[in-house]
Amino acid sequence: MVHLKTDSSIEAMREAGRVVAQVLTAARKAATAGVTLRELDEAAREVLREAGATSPFLNYKPHFAPTPFPAVICTSVNDAIVHGIPTGYRLREGDLVSIDAGAKLNGWVGDSAISFTVGPAAPEDTRLVDTAFAALDAGIAAAVVGNRIGDISHAIGTVCRGAGFGIMEDYGGHGVGRSMHEDPSVPNEGKRGRGMPLRHGMVLAIEPMLTGGGQDTYRHDQDGWTLRTTDGSRAAHAEHTVAITDDGPRILTAL
Ligand code: MG
Ligand code: MG
């Protein structure tokens, strides 16, 4: 069931989204060579604390997970696509890092992710990251009243496939509201004009997850959380929480 949000609820979600943007900014700033992933999580926790927000990630335990998630951000490095657990791994120059963050403020959730390289980037990594953000932008541009979910999916898929990258199967975007995952789901590939009509008050997390080797498959780490490419290629993830309004898409997780 889709929960449409009132305009005042969207304003409240914007405040939660701003905290997510601050978390991602702090984590990215901290992500230099020699720093551990756990230290990025500590930087993120500090931002949440100062904002008076809680984490929808911490202790989250969906049916597939063997253990509750132990951190407030996901840190997915190189061939990790999503859901990486912040560990004692020390970042190195050239690592491709995706950070996914959430915040819950006054009962509303924001969800957003970025990808970037530590230090100088290999050209192919730059292309992968740029394509992830271009796919996100295309998905957001299609998130307008009068379109359908399939138009968002088609826009994302077209950018990813056009660049020759793979799209992680079985995972995609979702509704966001008082909880992190609501209906509807927002696949990263689809057909124009199909699926649920988009209406004023829908709030969606739009999140392309790309694999550099072009395969759509993934494998689980032994930790039961981290999802990696099957061919060892690198991956990138970009995400915003977006409100669909009569005035056009509104990004709620910008600074
Ligand atoms: Mg996310
Ligand atoms: Mg999400």
Side-chain angles (χ1 to χ4, degrees):
M1 181 185 153
V2 174
H3 300 283
L4 294 177
K5 278 75 181 180
T6 63
D7 290 351
S8 64
S9 297
I10 290 173
E11 292 307 323
M13 290 190 74
R14 172 71 182 110
E15 295 312 309
R18 202 187 311 276
V19 175
V20 180
Q22 290 164 351
V23 166
L24 289 173
T25 301
R28 179 172 189 165
K29 193 167 165 228
T32 53
V35 169
T36 67
L37 299 177
R38 213 172 273 131
E39 287 170 317
L40 303 187
D41 186 60
E42 284 161 14
R45 285 175 194 246
E46 182 60 32
V47 174
L48 290 175
R49 207 164 21 237
E50 280 178 13
T54 56
S55 169
F57 288 22
L58 187 64
N59 295 321
Y60 185 58
K61 193 183 176 307
H63 63 92
F64 62 81
T67 53
F69 195 76
V72 304
I73 55 173
C74 300
T75 52
S76 305
V77 180
N78 296 335
D79 65 330
I81 314 169
V82 290
H83 299 171
I85 294 174
T87 62
Y89 173 81
R90 282 185 195 283
L91 290 171
R92 298 174 197 165
E93 296 262 317
D95 277 346
L96 199 172
V97 184
S98 299
I99 300 179
D100 195 342
K104 190 167 193 176
L105 185 72
N106 298 320
W108 295 100
V109 172
D111 184 13
S112 179
I114 55 172
S115 295
F116 58 91
T117 303
V118 177
E124 189 60 14
D125 288 346
T126 301
R127 199 171 78 84
L128 181 61
V129 169
D130 287 352
T131 302
F133 282 105
L136 174 59
D137 288 346
I140 293 170
V144 295
V145 174
N147 270 357
R148 289 172 179 260
I149 292 286
D151 292 295
I152 298 174
S153 305
H154 179 264
I156 294 169
T158 300
V159 172
C160 299
R161 297 293 185 200
F165 295 126
I167 296 167
M168 189 190 188
E169 65 187 11
D170 304 331
Y171 283 84
H174 49 89
V176 189
R178 291 201 177 271
S179 60
M180 186 160 57
H181 292 119
E182 294 185 354
D183 287 338
S185 61
V186 187
N188 285 327
E189 191 161 39
K191 290 199 170 78
R192 258 187 203 140
R194 296 284 184 87
M196 188 181 291
L198 304 180
R199 293 173 60 191
H200 179 91
M202 286 175 81
V203 178
L204 305 175
I206 298 175
E207 48 178 321
M209 306 163 199
L210 279 62
T211 64
Q215 296 185 0
D216 299 344
T217 47
Y218 58 87
R219 62 185 176 83
H220 282 266
D221 248 13
Q222 285 190 334
D223 66 22
W225 274 102
T226 314
L227 302 176
R228 296 186 187 276
T229 60
T230 41
D231 60 1
S233 67
R234 293 183 167 203
H237 179 206
E239 177 181 26
H240 268 310
T241 299
V242 178
I244 292 163
T245 79
D246 290 329
D247 299 324
R250 182 173 174 203
I251 298 174
L252 303 181
T253 41
L255 267 183

